[in-house]
Amino acid sequence: MSLKPAVRISRRIAEIGREAWEACATAPEHRGNPFVSYDFLDVLEESGCVAERTGWGPQHLSVEDEAGGVGAVMPLYLKSHSQGEYIFDHAWADAYERAGGQYYPKLLSAAPFTPATGPRLLVRPDVDADEGRRLLLGGGLTLCERMGVSSLHVNFPTRTEWEWMGDQGLAQRQGQQYHWANKGYATFDDFLADLSSGRRKTIRRERRDAQAGLEIVCLTGADLTEDAWDAFFAFYMDTGSRKWGRPYLNRLFFSLLGERMADRVLLVMARRNGRWIAGALNLIGGDALYGRNWGCIEDVPFLHFELCYYQAIEWAIGRGLARVEAGAQGQHKIARGYLPSPVFSAHYIADPALRGPVEDFVERERQAVDGEMEWLAEEYSPFRHGGGG
């Protein structure tokens, strides 16, 4: 199916519609990614977390096919800041503005507040992928020019998209996260057997200490009650208030998430004597579990590791998921079996005076990140044979 050479801009994802968006978001190579689903993006908008007033003005792109149906879509936002992105360009903004330029607003294609890899150029399976990507990226670059904004950024695309955008001339940036890979384990003990004896003992001790006197439960589907969400929101707000900034998500978001995506949500919660004291929010993908947020109102040694890392591994093994992505940053994850894994972003800078230095920086940064990932995996891997068994 061929596409019309015109790109439409929508200020709400609802203007595109669930059926049309999902037809593009469920292509085989990224089926099951929760963060580009219509429901996730719509819940962010319906709750007011994503809106112009919060610095996330939707500018979603869509391209129609010859029959008038939507053949390709791209989540896109007009940003007035760089908060909630997890690909850090604050230094670029500071340098440009010190030189007299205006970095904000800018355009960003991403899943808001979510440092998880996923498709950004979503093309319906019966449409030529290169044609759809070309029209979407071209539409984004044209919008960048017409709005007079400084730049277009695509955060956490797939490697295939990242390589393709590099071929189109965008600057290619690489970072790293820490992911756990399922090597066909049948049980958590099978995973432990892959580790050095020292790490096995440490993890067993951490789990024993974390679980002492607590009840730990995994909630999904109909078990996600408003009581559980009330408790988790208190944890979330406590964590956000202590981490240099403001929490991005409001209470309504969590209710809507439970209402619209209950079967794709996993809450790992801990309670003492019937009272919730800590929790971790995960979203369930087609082949991965994605750790997102954590919080607590009681300080328990190793409970963060138990709820965010060990319970996630155990749950993923039980469901046959290929990996756990535990979010941004944290070299301490390596000792828990989460090894360095590359993540990507692509950038178009309109002003050549800034474009050149950015391109030089990301090229040097890529080389440094590659070297650091290799060194971390070799030096600190907890696996007996290195690199994940």
Side-chain angles (χ1 to χ4, degrees), residues 330-389:
Q331 288 186 9
H332 61 278
K333 296 171 185 173
I334 298 176
R336 277 89 200 168
Y338 291 74
L339 296 184
S341 182
V343 292
F344 308 104
S345 60
H347 308 268
Y348 167 75
I349 309 294
D351 188 341
L354 179 63
R355 187 189 312 151
V358 165
E359 290 175 344
D360 179 64
F361 169 77
V362 297
E363 183 175 349
R364 289 183 286 108
E365 184 187 44
R366 278 201 313 273
Q367 297 172 5
V369 168
D370 279 336
E372 182 181 25
M373 287 175 55
E374 184 177 348
W375 175 75
L376 287 170
E378 290 179 356
E379 196 74 17
Y380 294 104
S381 172
F383 292 92
R384 287 184 291 118
H385 305 296

Short mmCIF file of all heavy atoms in Angstrom, two decimals, residues 330-389:
data_model
loop_
_atom_site.label_atom_id
_atom_site.label_comp_id
_atom_site.label_asym_id
_atom_site.label_seq_id
_atom_site.Cartn_x
_atom_site.Cartn_y
_atom_site.Cartn_z
N GLY A 330 22.63 3.31 37.02
CA GLY A 330 22.79 2.37 38.12
C GLY A 330 23.76 1.23 37.90
O GLY A 330 23.34 0.12 37.60
N GLN A 331 25.06 1.49 38.08
CA GLN A 331 26.05 0.41 37.91
C GLN A 331 25.89 -0.68 38.96
O GLN A 331 26.35 -1.81 38.75
CB GLN A 331 27.46 0.99 37.95
CG GLN A 331 27.85 1.79 36.73
CD GLN A 331 29.31 2.22 36.74
OE1 GLN A 331 30.08 1.79 37.58
NE2 GLN A 331 29.68 3.09 35.80
N HIS A 332 25.21 -0.37 40.08
CA HIS A 332 24.96 -1.40 41.10
C HIS A 332 24.11 -2.55 40.54
O HIS A 332 24.08 -3.64 41.13
CB HIS A 332 24.26 -0.78 42.30
CG HIS A 332 22.93 -0.17 41.99
ND1 HIS A 332 22.80 1.09 41.45
CD2 HIS A 332 21.68 -0.66 42.11
CE1 HIS A 332 21.52 1.36 41.27
NE2 HIS A 332 20.82 0.32 41.66
N LYS A 333 23.44 -2.33 39.43
CA LYS A 333 22.61 -3.39 38.83
C LYS A 333 23.47 -4.53 38.28
O LYS A 333 22.99 -5.66 38.17
CB LYS A 333 21.74 -2.81 37.72
CG LYS A 333 20.72 -1.78 38.20
CD LYS A 333 20.03 -1.09 37.03
CE LYS A 333 19.11 0.02 37.51
NZ LYS A 333 18.56 0.82 36.40
N ILE A 334 24.71 -4.23 37.92
CA ILE A 334 25.57 -5.27 37.33
C ILE A 334 25.71 -6.44 38.29
O ILE A 334 25.61 -7.61 37.89
CB ILE A 334 26.95 -4.69 36.97
CG1 ILE A 334 26.81 -3.58 35.92
CG2 ILE A 334 27.86 -5.79 36.43
CD1 ILE A 334 28.13 -2.89 35.57
N ALA A 335 25.95 -6.15 39.56
CA ALA A 335 26.14 -7.21 40.55
C ALA A 335 24.89 -8.05 40.74
O ALA A 335 24.95 -9.15 41.29
CB ALA A 335 26.56 -6.60 41.89
N ARG A 336 23.73 -7.54 40.28
CA ARG A 336 22.47 -8.28 40.39
C ARG A 336 22.10 -8.98 39.10
O ARG A 336 20.98 -9.45 38.93
CB ARG A 336 21.35 -7.33 40.82
CG ARG A 336 21.31 -7.10 42.32
CD ARG A 336 22.17 -5.94 42.75
NE ARG A 336 22.49 -6.02 44.19
CZ ARG A 336 23.41 -5.26 44.77
NH1 ARG A 336 24.09 -4.38 44.07
NH2 ARG A 336 23.66 -5.40 46.06
N GLY A 337 23.03 -9.04 38.14
CA GLY A 337 22.79 -9.78 36.91
C GLY A 337 22.35 -8.95 35.73
O GLY A 337 22.04 -9.50 34.66
N TYR A 338 22.30 -7.64 35.89
CA TYR A 338 21.87 -6.74 34.82
C TYR A 338 23.13 -6.16 34.16
O TYR A 338 23.84 -5.35 34.75
CB TYR A 338 21.01 -5.61 35.37
CG TYR A 338 19.66 -6.06 35.88
CD1 TYR A 338 19.53 -6.76 37.09
CD2 TYR A 338 18.49 -5.78 35.17
CE1 TYR A 338 18.30 -7.17 37.56
CE2 TYR A 338 17.24 -6.18 35.65
CZ TYR A 338 17.15 -6.87 36.83
OH TYR A 338 15.93 -7.27 37.30
N LEU A 339 23.41 -6.57 32.93
CA LEU A 339 24.65 -6.20 32.26
C LEU A 339 24.47 -5.00 31.33
O LEU A 339 23.35 -4.71 30.89
CB LEU A 339 25.18 -7.39 31.47
CG LEU A 339 25.58 -8.62 32.30
CD1 LEU A 339 26.19 -9.69 31.39
CD2 LEU A 339 26.55 -8.26 33.42
N PRO A 340 25.57 -4.28 31.02
CA PRO A 340 25.48 -3.11 30.15
C PRO A 340 24.87 -3.46 28.79
O PRO A 340 25.20 -4.48 28.18
CB PRO A 340 26.94 -2.67 30.01
CG PRO A 340 27.62 -3.20 31.22
CD PRO A 340 26.94 -4.50 31.53
N SER A 341 23.97 -2.58 28.33
CA SER A 341 23.31 -2.75 27.05
C SER A 341 23.17 -1.38 26.40
O SER A 341 22.85 -0.41 27.09
CB SER A 341 21.92 -3.39 27.26
OG SER A 341 21.28 -3.62 26.03
N PRO A 342 23.40 -1.26 25.09
CA PRO A 342 23.36 0.05 24.46
C PRO A 342 21.94 0.57 24.28
O PRO A 342 21.00 -0.21 24.06
CB PRO A 342 24.03 -0.19 23.10
CG PRO A 342 23.76 -1.63 22.81
CD PRO A 342 23.79 -2.32 24.14
N VAL A 343 21.79 1.87 24.39
CA VAL A 343 20.56 2.57 24.03
C VAL A 343 20.94 3.73 23.13
O VAL A 343 22.08 4.19 23.13
CB VAL A 343 19.78 3.06 25.27
CG1 VAL A 343 19.23 1.89 26.07
CG2 VAL A 343 20.64 3.95 26.16
N PHE A 344 19.96 4.24 22.37
CA PHE A 344 20.30 5.13 21.27
C PHE A 344 19.42 6.38 21.24
O PHE A 344 18.32 6.40 21.80
CB PHE A 344 20.14 4.38 19.94
CG PHE A 344 20.87 3.06 19.90
CD1 PHE A 344 20.18 1.86 20.02
CD2 PHE A 344 22.25 3.01 19.76
CE1 PHE A 344 20.84 0.65 20.00
CE2 PHE A 344 22.92 1.80 19.74
CZ PHE A 344 22.21 0.62 19.85
N SER A 345 19.92 7.38 20.56
CA SER A 345 19.12 8.55 20.22
C SER A 345 19.70 9.17 18.95
O SER A 345 20.86 8.94 18.61
CB SER A 345 19.10 9.58 21.36
OG SER A 345 20.42 10.02 21.66
N ALA A 346 18.85 9.92 18.23
CA ALA A 346 19.26 10.57 16.99
C ALA A 346 18.83 12.03 17.05
O ALA A 346 17.77 12.35 17.59
CB ALA A 346 18.65 9.87 15.78
N HIS A 347 19.67 12.93 16.47
CA HIS A 347 19.47 14.36 16.68
C HIS A 347 19.72 15.16 15.40
O HIS A 347 20.73 14.94 14.71
CB HIS A 347 20.43 14.85 17.77
CG HIS A 347 20.36 14.03 19.03
ND1 HIS A 347 19.53 14.33 20.08
CD2 HIS A 347 21.02 12.88 19.38
CE1 HIS A 347 19.68 13.41 21.04
NE2 HIS A 347 20.58 12.54 20.63
N TYR A 348 18.79 16.06 15.13
CA TYR A 348 18.98 17.04 14.06
C TYR A 348 19.04 18.42 14.70
O TYR A 348 18.11 18.82 15.41
CB TYR A 348 17.85 16.99 13.04
CG TYR A 348 17.85 18.18 12.11
CD1 TYR A 348 18.80 18.27 11.08
CD2 TYR A 348 16.95 19.22 12.28
CE1 TYR A 348 18.83 19.37 10.24
CE2 TYR A 348 16.98 20.33 11.44
CZ TYR A 348 17.92 20.40 10.43
OH TYR A 348 17.96 21.49 9.61
N ILE A 349 20.12 19.13 14.47
CA ILE A 349 20.30 20.49 14.99
C ILE A 349 20.24 21.44 13.81
O ILE A 349 21.01 21.31 12.85
CB ILE A 349 21.65 20.64 15.72
CG1 ILE A 349 21.84 19.52 16.76
CG2 ILE A 349 21.76 22.01 16.35
CD1 ILE A 349 20.88 19.56 17.92
N ALA A 350 19.31 22.39 13.87
CA ALA A 350 19.07 23.26 12.72
C ALA A 350 20.23 24.21 12.44
O ALA A 350 20.61 24.41 11.28
CB ALA A 350 17.78 24.07 12.93
N ASP A 351 20.83 24.77 13.47
CA ASP A 351 21.88 25.77 13.31
C ASP A 351 23.23 25.07 13.12
O ASP A 351 23.70 24.36 14.01
CB ASP A 351 21.93 26.67 14.54
CG ASP A 351 22.88 27.86 14.38
OD1 ASP A 351 23.77 27.80 13.50
OD2 ASP A 351 22.74 28.83 15.14
N PRO A 352 23.89 25.27 11.96
CA PRO A 352 25.18 24.61 11.73
C PRO A 352 26.23 24.96 12.79
O PRO A 352 27.13 24.15 13.05
CB PRO A 352 25.61 25.14 10.35
CG PRO A 352 24.33 25.55 9.68
CD PRO A 352 23.44 26.05 10.80
N ALA A 353 26.10 26.13 13.41
CA ALA A 353 27.08 26.53 14.43
C ALA A 353 27.01 25.64 15.66
O ALA A 353 28.01 25.46 16.37
CB ALA A 353 26.84 27.99 14.84
N LEU A 354 25.84 25.06 15.93
CA LEU A 354 25.71 24.11 17.03
C LEU A 354 25.80 22.68 16.51
O LEU A 354 26.30 21.79 17.23
CB LEU A 354 24.37 24.31 17.76
CG LEU A 354 24.07 23.36 18.92
CD1 LEU A 354 25.11 23.53 20.05
CD2 LEU A 354 22.66 23.60 19.48
N ARG A 355 25.35 22.46 15.29
CA ARG A 355 25.31 21.10 14.74
C ARG A 355 26.70 20.47 14.71
O ARG A 355 26.87 19.32 15.11
CB ARG A 355 24.72 21.11 13.34
CG ARG A 355 24.49 19.70 12.76
CD ARG A 355 24.11 19.81 11.28
NE ARG A 355 23.06 20.80 11.09
CZ ARG A 355 22.90 21.51 9.97
NH1 ARG A 355 23.73 21.33 8.95
NH2 ARG A 355 21.92 22.38 9.86
N GLY A 356 27.69 21.21 14.26
CA GLY A 356 29.04 20.67 14.16
C GLY A 356 29.60 20.20 15.49
O GLY A 356 30.06 19.06 15.61
N PRO A 357 29.57 21.04 16.53
CA PRO A 357 30.07 20.60 17.83
C PRO A 357 29.29 19.41 18.40
O PRO A 357 29.88 18.53 19.03
CB PRO A 357 29.90 21.84 18.71
CG PRO A 357 29.97 22.99 17.76
CD PRO A 357 29.32 22.50 16.50
N VAL A 358 27.97 19.38 18.19
CA VAL A 358 27.18 18.25 18.69
C VAL A 358 27.58 16.97 17.98
O VAL A 358 27.76 15.91 18.61
CB VAL A 358 25.67 18.53 18.53
CG1 VAL A 358 24.86 17.24 18.69
CG2 VAL A 358 25.21 19.57 19.54
N GLU A 359 27.73 17.02 16.66
CA GLU A 359 28.13 15.83 15.90
C GLU A 359 29.50 15.32 16.35
O GLU A 359 29.71 14.10 16.48
CB GLU A 359 28.12 16.13 14.41
CG GLU A 359 26.72 16.32 13.84
CD GLU A 359 26.72 16.73 12.38
OE1 GLU A 359 27.78 17.18 11.89
OE2 GLU A 359 25.66 16.62 11.73
N ASP A 360 30.42 16.23 16.59
CA ASP A 360 31.75 15.84 17.07
C ASP A 360 31.67 15.20 18.45
O ASP A 360 32.30 14.18 18.73
CB ASP A 360 32.67 17.06 17.09
CG ASP A 360 34.06 16.72 17.59
OD1 ASP A 360 34.76 15.93 16.92
OD2 ASP A 360 34.45 17.24 18.66
N PHE A 361 30.84 15.81 19.32
CA PHE A 361 30.71 15.29 20.68
C PHE A 361 30.12 13.88 20.70
O PHE A 361 30.64 12.99 21.38
CB PHE A 361 29.82 16.22 21.51
CG PHE A 361 29.41 15.64 22.84
CD1 PHE A 361 30.29 15.60 23.91
CD2 PHE A 361 28.13 15.11 23.01
CE1 PHE A 361 29.92 15.04 25.12
CE2 PHE A 361 27.75 14.56 24.21
CZ PHE A 361 28.64 14.53 25.27
N VAL A 362 29.02 13.66 19.96
CA VAL A 362 28.36 12.34 20.05
C VAL A 362 29.24 11.25 19.42
O VAL A 362 29.18 10.09 19.86
CB VAL A 362 26.97 12.36 19.40
CG1 VAL A 362 26.04 13.32 20.14
CG2 VAL A 362 27.01 12.68 17.91
N GLU A 363 30.07 11.61 18.44
CA GLU A 363 30.97 10.62 17.86
C GLU A 363 32.01 10.18 18.89
O GLU A 363 32.27 8.98 19.05
CB GLU A 363 31.65 11.17 16.61
CG GLU A 363 32.55 10.16 15.93
CD GLU A 363 33.14 10.68 14.62
OE1 GLU A 363 32.69 11.73 14.14
OE2 GLU A 363 34.05 10.01 14.10
N ARG A 364 32.58 11.14 19.59
CA ARG A 364 33.56 10.79 20.62
C ARG A 364 32.91 10.08 21.80
O ARG A 364 33.48 9.16 22.38
CB ARG A 364 34.30 12.05 21.08
CG ARG A 364 35.27 12.61 20.04
CD ARG A 364 36.05 13.81 20.54
NE ARG A 364 35.23 15.01 20.60
CZ ARG A 364 34.80 15.58 21.72
NH1 ARG A 364 35.12 15.05 22.89
NH2 ARG A 364 34.06 16.67 21.69
N GLU A 365 31.70 10.51 22.14
CA GLU A 365 30.98 9.88 23.24
C GLU A 365 30.65 8.42 22.93
O GLU A 365 30.77 7.56 23.81
CB GLU A 365 29.69 10.66 23.52
CG GLU A 365 28.90 10.15 24.73
CD GLU A 365 27.56 10.84 24.86
OE1 GLU A 365 26.86 11.00 23.83
OE2 GLU A 365 27.19 11.19 25.99
N ARG A 366 30.27 8.12 21.69
CA ARG A 366 29.97 6.73 21.30
C ARG A 366 31.16 5.82 21.55
O ARG A 366 31.03 4.71 22.06
CB ARG A 366 29.58 6.65 19.82
CG ARG A 366 28.16 7.00 19.51
CD ARG A 366 27.72 6.42 18.18
NE ARG A 366 28.65 6.63 17.09
CZ ARG A 366 28.68 7.71 16.31
NH1 ARG A 366 27.85 8.71 16.53
NH2 ARG A 366 29.56 7.81 15.33
N GLN A 367 32.33 6.29 21.15
CA GLN A 367 33.54 5.49 21.35
C GLN A 367 33.80 5.25 22.83
O GLN A 367 34.16 4.14 23.24
CB GLN A 367 34.72 6.19 20.69
CG GLN A 367 34.58 6.33 19.18
CD GLN A 367 35.68 7.21 18.58
OE1 GLN A 367 36.59 7.64 19.27
NE2 GLN A 367 35.59 7.47 17.28
N ALA A 368 33.59 6.28 23.64
CA ALA A 368 33.82 6.14 25.09
C ALA A 368 32.81 5.18 25.71
O ALA A 368 33.16 4.36 26.57
CB ALA A 368 33.73 7.51 25.76
N VAL A 369 31.55 5.28 25.28
CA VAL A 369 30.51 4.40 25.83
C VAL A 369 30.78 2.95 25.46
O VAL A 369 30.66 2.05 26.30
CB VAL A 369 29.12 4.85 25.35
CG1 VAL A 369 28.06 3.80 25.66
CG2 VAL A 369 28.73 6.18 25.99
N ASP A 370 31.17 2.71 24.22
CA ASP A 370 31.49 1.34 23.80
C ASP A 370 32.60 0.76 24.68
O ASP A 370 32.53 -0.39 25.13
CB ASP A 370 31.93 1.32 22.33
CG ASP A 370 30.76 1.32 21.37
OD1 ASP A 370 29.66 0.89 21.78
OD2 ASP A 370 30.93 1.75 20.21
N GLY A 371 33.64 1.55 24.90
CA GLY A 371 34.76 1.08 25.71
C GLY A 371 34.35 0.84 27.15
O GLY A 371 34.76 -0.16 27.76
N GLU A 372 33.52 1.72 27.70
CA GLU A 372 33.09 1.56 29.09
C GLU A 372 32.21 0.33 29.26
O GLU A 372 32.35 -0.43 30.22
CB GLU A 372 32.34 2.80 29.57
CG GLU A 372 31.91 2.70 31.03
CD GLU A 372 31.13 3.92 31.50
OE1 GLU A 372 30.51 4.60 30.66
OE2 GLU A 372 31.13 4.17 32.71
N MET A 373 31.30 0.10 28.31
CA MET A 373 30.43 -1.07 28.40
C MET A 373 31.24 -2.36 28.39
O MET A 373 30.99 -3.28 29.17
CB MET A 373 29.43 -1.07 27.23
CG MET A 373 28.33 -0.04 27.35
SD MET A 373 27.28 -0.01 25.87
CE MET A 373 26.78 -1.71 25.77
N GLU A 374 32.22 -2.43 27.50
CA GLU A 374 33.05 -3.63 27.40
C GLU A 374 33.84 -3.84 28.69
O GLU A 374 33.92 -4.96 29.21
CB GLU A 374 34.00 -3.49 26.20
CG GLU A 374 34.85 -4.72 25.96
CD GLU A 374 35.72 -4.58 24.72
OE1 GLU A 374 35.50 -3.63 23.93
OE2 GLU A 374 36.64 -5.41 24.56
N TRP A 375 34.39 -2.75 29.22
CA TRP A 375 35.18 -2.85 30.46
C TRP A 375 34.31 -3.26 31.64
O TRP A 375 34.69 -4.14 32.43
CB TRP A 375 35.84 -1.50 30.73
CG TRP A 375 36.56 -1.46 32.04
CD1 TRP A 375 37.76 -2.04 32.35
CD2 TRP A 375 36.12 -0.80 33.23
NE1 TRP A 375 38.10 -1.78 33.66
CE2 TRP A 375 37.12 -1.02 34.22
CE3 TRP A 375 35.00 -0.04 33.55
CZ2 TRP A 375 37.00 -0.51 35.51
CZ3 TRP A 375 34.89 0.46 34.84
CH2 TRP A 375 35.88 0.22 35.80
N LEU A 376 33.11 -2.66 31.78
CA LEU A 376 32.23 -3.00 32.88
C LEU A 376 31.81 -4.46 32.84
O LEU A 376 31.79 -5.15 33.86
CB LEU A 376 30.98 -2.10 32.86
CG LEU A 376 31.17 -0.64 33.29
CD1 LEU A 376 29.93 0.17 32.97
CD2 LEU A 376 31.51 -0.55 34.77
N ALA A 377 31.45 -4.94 31.63
CA ALA A 377 31.00 -6.32 31.50
C ALA A 377 32.12 -7.31 31.84
O ALA A 377 31.88 -8.35 32.46
CB ALA A 377 30.48 -6.56 30.08
N GLU A 378 33.35 -6.98 31.45
CA GLU A 378 34.48 -7.87 31.73
C GLU A 378 34.92 -7.81 33.18
O GLU A 378 35.23 -8.82 33.80
CB GLU A 378 35.66 -7.52 30.82
CG GLU A 378 35.44 -7.85 29.34
CD GLU A 378 36.63 -7.45 28.49
OE1 GLU A 378 37.59 -6.85 29.05
OE2 GLU A 378 36.61 -7.72 27.28
N GLU A 379 34.91 -6.59 33.73
CA GLU A 379 35.49 -6.39 35.05
C GLU A 379 34.52 -6.74 36.19
O GLU A 379 34.94 -7.24 37.24
CB GLU A 379 35.93 -4.93 35.19
CG GLU A 379 36.88 -4.66 36.34
CD GLU A 379 38.29 -5.17 36.07
OE1 GLU A 379 38.61 -5.45 34.89
OE2 GLU A 379 39.05 -5.31 37.05
N TYR A 380 33.23 -6.51 35.98
CA TYR A 380 32.28 -6.60 37.08
C TYR A 380 31.18 -7.63 36.88
O TYR A 380 30.29 -7.75 37.72
CB TYR A 380 31.65 -5.23 37.35
CG TYR A 380 32.66 -4.22 37.86
CD1 TYR A 380 33.14 -3.23 37.02
CD2 TYR A 380 33.12 -4.27 39.16
CE1 TYR A 380 34.08 -2.30 37.47
CE2 TYR A 380 34.06 -3.37 39.64
CZ TYR A 380 34.53 -2.38 38.79
OH TYR A 380 35.45 -1.48 39.25
N SER A 381 31.18 -8.34 35.78
CA SER A 381 30.13 -9.34 35.55
C SER A 381 30.07 -10.33 36.70
O SER A 381 31.08 -10.87 37.13
CB SER A 381 30.37 -10.10 34.25
OG SER A 381 29.46 -11.18 34.13
N PRO A 382 28.86 -10.60 37.22
CA PRO A 382 28.73 -11.58 38.31
C PRO A 382 28.67 -13.02 37.82
O PRO A 382 28.63 -13.94 38.64
CB PRO A 382 27.39 -11.18 38.96
CG PRO A 382 26.57 -10.68 37.80
CD PRO A 382 27.55 -9.97 36.87
N PHE A 383 28.64 -13.19 36.50
CA PHE A 383 28.48 -14.53 35.95
C PHE A 383 29.80 -15.30 35.98
O PHE A 383 30.87 -14.73 35.81
CB PHE A 383 27.93 -14.46 34.52
CG PHE A 383 26.52 -13.94 34.47
CD1 PHE A 383 26.26 -12.59 34.31
CD2 PHE A 383 25.45 -14.81 34.57
CE1 PHE A 383 24.96 -12.11 34.26
CE2 PHE A 383 24.14 -14.35 34.55
CZ PHE A 383 23.90 -13.00 34.40
N ARG A 384 29.70 -16.59 36.17
CA ARG A 384 30.88 -17.43 36.31
C ARG A 384 31.77 -17.39 35.07
O ARG A 384 32.97 -17.41 35.15
CB ARG A 384 30.46 -18.88 36.58
CG ARG A 384 29.92 -19.11 37.99
CD ARG A 384 29.60 -20.57 38.24
NE ARG A 384 28.45 -21.02 37.47
CZ ARG A 384 28.50 -21.98 36.54
NH1 ARG A 384 29.64 -22.57 36.28
NH2 ARG A 384 27.41 -22.34 35.90
N HIS A 385 31.12 -17.32 33.89
CA HIS A 385 31.89 -17.37 32.64
C HIS A 385 31.91 -16.00 31.96
O HIS A 385 32.34 -15.90 30.81
CB HIS A 385 31.28 -18.40 31.71
CG HIS A 385 31.18 -19.76 32.34
ND1 HIS A 385 32.29 -20.47 32.73
CD2 HIS A 385 30.10 -20.50 32.69
CE1 HIS A 385 31.90 -21.63 33.27
NE2 HIS A 385 30.58 -21.67 33.26
N GLY A 386 31.42 -14.95 32.64
CA GLY A 386 31.42 -13.61 32.06
C GLY A 386 30.37 -13.45 31.01
O GLY A 386 29.98 -14.38 30.32
N GLY A 387 29.86 -12.25 30.87
CA GLY A 387 28.96 -11.92 29.79
C GLY A 387 27.59 -12.55 29.85
O GLY A 387 26.82 -12.48 28.90
N GLY A 388 27.21 -13.19 30.91
CA GLY A 388 25.84 -13.65 31.05
C GLY A 388 25.67 -15.14 30.91
O GLY A 388 24.59 -15.65 30.65
N GLY A 389 26.74 -15.93 31.07
CA GLY A 389 26.60 -17.36 31.16
C GLY A 389 26.61 -18.08 29.83
O GLY A 389 26.56 -17.53 28.79
#
